[in-house]
Amino acid sequence: MSDMILHGGLILLVLAVAITTVVTRDTFAAITAYVVYGLLLGLAWVALGSIDVALTEAALGSGITGALLLRAASILRHTEEAAESKRPGRLARWAAGLVCAGVTVGLITVVVLLPEPAPSLAPVAMESLAATQVGNPVTGVLLAYRAWDTFLETVVLVLGLVAIWGLTPDRLWGGRPGQLNLVERDGVLAFLARLLVPVGLMAGIYLFWVGADEPGGKFQGGTILAAMWMLMILAGLSDAPRVSGVWVRWAVIAGPLTFLLVGALGWFGSTGLFAYPPGLAKPFIILIEAASTLSIGATLCLLVIGPPQRPADS
Amino acid sequence: MSLLVDIFSVVMISAGAFFFLAGSIGMLRFPTVLCRLHALTKADNLGLGFIALGVMPLVEWPFGPLKLALIWALVMLSSASVSQLIAISLRKQGRKGP
Amino acid sequence: MNGFLLVAAGFIVLTVALGLVRIFRGSEDADRMMAIQLLGTGGIAVMLVLAGAGAGTPALDVALTLSLLTAFASVAFVKNSGKPPSDSDR
């Protein structure tokens, strides 16, 4: 009863902001609305009790995606007028609206007609959790029961990075992304970056570490590391790395490579691929998570700052 | 004793919520962008400070209150810096006054 | 106590809604940049209250993440607003 204001307020606000995102004409306002929508969804997830999802939504879904959209919008700014003049005709828009309405009604029906209690694998997952030696069931699912899927997710990030680097013009290959940001030694931004980034680094490492037993883990920790690196680049305290740099490439593949090596170890020490040797699950999980946090941080930052725009010797 | 602590929490959190309301009303009513920025950052910081104080007795000692203090310090730092950055960017666009 | 905390959290969500109205009706880019700040601080306040209402340390971790990410997002917005597009060589 007393949570009605909270839940009702969040529902109305999420709907209003989502509609604003779609309806507004100004791109900057639409991106802001989308970031706000992501933050509100994070709040909603906490209100529903899923803290892991809330962390990922707030960090990845609104922060990093917002930065990505901003960059895309600024690059595409000069094409906006041409795109505006080619809006789809009335028939197409009505058809799209009907399909969206149909999908919405379908989803609502499915959720409302779910059997009570809803079928769930959660109790089964919790039963075997003790064997994995981690306390957070989400980590257990991601890294023990479905390690193969999580490994492929980390590979997908690397593939995305390769695809973005593939957009580099030939003569700039191996160079640095973005324009050079000059640092004002006494400026506000440099001050903020100098104080915030060390705290952010610690917070990112803390979130990865605590993810074994409490909500957190490598995606959340890595995203914070990526945001802190981007903050340093924006403040001019550090230049964007050359994409041909050896350490950059090692940082990006360290995670998937560690994951694969530990998984392959399962062929020798246990029953098969991605099976941990009994009793040694937790140290291997921590190893995988540590390497992946570094990789996810590096890869996400490189994904957002984009392909090289300056030659390698600048 | 526990009742006193509860009363303290209720009073602090209510004060914090009041300041959030004051900040939002300021945002609705102030005439210019810089005034609205001022209302937003100052009132919300104060509101957050009161709420952090009020929640301190309710979380696990010792790391709970420490985290609360850290979060409040981070928000103070970042909102002060960001409001300066927004104001600087407005000035670069040519606005002279508030 | 819990009831009061949940009502307080809901109240803060409503004040954030109030502020958002102004932001999205406003005409300048700076109004939008304030939206991130408002949501960030308001969201953190709701997290803190929910932490006191029983969500505990994980909610505090979400608040910590929010504080770092809104600082980053605000800086990204300020840096990216109103600048002419940098010429990408294509």
Side-chain angles (χ1 to χ4, degrees), chain A residues 27 31 68-84, chain C residues 80 83-86 88 90:
Chain A
T27 312
I31 298 177
L68 198 60
L69 289 173
L70 271 179
R71 201 178 151 265
S74 73
I75 292 178
L76 289 174
R77 196 176 313 221
H78 61 284
T79 65
E80 266 183 42
E81 275 196 39
E84 275 292 308
Chain C
N80 261 299
K83 266 193 343 201
S86 38
S88 43
R90 295 194 190 274

Side-chain angles (χ1 to χ4, degrees), chain A residues 35 37-43 45-46 51-66 220 223-224, chain C residues 47 61-63 65-70 72-73:
Chain A
V35 173
Y37 169 74
L39 292 175
L40 284 173
L41 274 189
L43 289 184
W45 284 120
V46 174
I51 311 276
D52 289 86
V53 184
L55 278 169
T56 314
E57 175 69 47
L60 210 46
S62 72
I64 302 283
T65 313
Q220 295 87 341
T223 311
I224 293 190
Chain C
M47 285 300 123
D61 290 340
V62 178
T65 309
L66 270 183
S67 62
L68 294 167
L69 261 299
T70 40
F72 160 68

Side-chain angles (χ1 to χ4, degrees), chain A:
Chain A
M1 178 63 206
S2 48
D3 57 8
M4 253 177 56
I5 309 182
L6 177 63
H7 289 200
L10 277 175
I11 292 174
L12 287 176
L13 206 49
V14 167
L15 275 177
V17 175
I19 293 177
T20 311
T21 313
V22 174
V23 160
T24 188
R25 291 274 133 231
D26 173 24
T27 312
F28 195 68
I31 298 177
T32 312
Y34 180 75
V35 173
V36 167
Y37 169 74
L39 292 175
L40 284 173
L41 274 189
L43 289 184
W45 284 120
V46 174
L48 286 173
S50 306
I51 311 276
D52 289 86
V53 184
L55 278 169
T56 314
E57 175 69 47
L60 210 46
S62 72
I64 302 283
T65 313
L68 198 60
L69 289 173
L70 271 179
R71 201 178 151 265
S74 73
I75 292 178
L76 289 174
R77 196 176 313 221
H78 61 284
T79 65
E80 266 183 42
E81 275 196 39
E84 275 292 308
S85 60
K86 284 200 233 159
R87 288 178 77 211
R90 174 167 286 194
L91 190 58
R93 277 184 283 149
W94 271 99
L98 278 175
V99 170
C100 289
V103 169
T104 309
V105 168
L107 282 174
I108 294 178
T109 319
V110 165
V111 171
V112 164
L113 290 182
L114 272 179
E116 215 40 77
S120 163
L121 287 175
V124 180
M126 292 298 293
E127 272 170 28
S128 310
L129 203 58
T132 63
Q133 302 168 293
V134 295
N136 181 4
V138 174
T139 305
V141 169
L142 284 180
L143 284 174
Y145 304 153
R146 307 295 313 188
W148 180 231
D149 301 324
T150 312
F151 165 67
L152 289 179
E153 280 171 17
T154 56
V155 170
V156 161
L157 275 182
V158 177
L159 289 179
L161 185 61
V162 170
I164 287 187
W165 281 353
L167 294 173
T168 316
D170 279 347
R171 61 186 166 81
L172 295 178
W173 179 248
R176 299 178 191 269
Q179 302 302 318
L180 182 60
N181 282 312
L182 296 168
V183 58
E184 303 163 25
R185 291 259 142 232
D186 296 324
V188 178
L189 188 49
F191 169 73
L192 175 65
R194 283 195 192 101
L195 282 185
L196 202 65
V197 168
V199 178
L201 282 181
M202 283 203 304
I205 296 176
Y206 161 73
L207 265 185
F208 133 71
W209 181 255
V210 91
D213 294 315
E214 297 280 328
K218 60 184 187 302
F219 273 107
Q220 295 87 341
T223 311
I224 293 190
L225 292 183
M228 291 300 111
W229 192 7
M230 275 191 272
L231 188 56
M232 281 203 1
I233 296 179
L234 281 175
L237 292 177
S238 156
D239 198 4
R242 285 193 200 88
V243 299
S244 55
V246 169
W247 69 268
V248 167
R249 299 186 173 188
W250 272 107
V252 165
I253 67 168
L257 193 62
T258 311
F259 217 143
L260 187 60
L261 286 176
V262 171
L265 210 62
W267 265 322
F268 307 104
S270 185
T271 51
L273 190 61
F274 287 117
Y276 299 111
L280 284 180
K282 188 153 185 184
F284 278 124
I285 288 180
I286 303 269
L287 178 65
I288 293 176
E289 290 238 306
S292 300
T293 307
L294 173 67
S295 281
I296 289 172
T299 314
L300 283 178
C301 174
L302 290 168
L303 275 173
V304 175
I305 62 182
Q309 290 177 306
R310 283 180 278 149
D313 48 11
S314 67

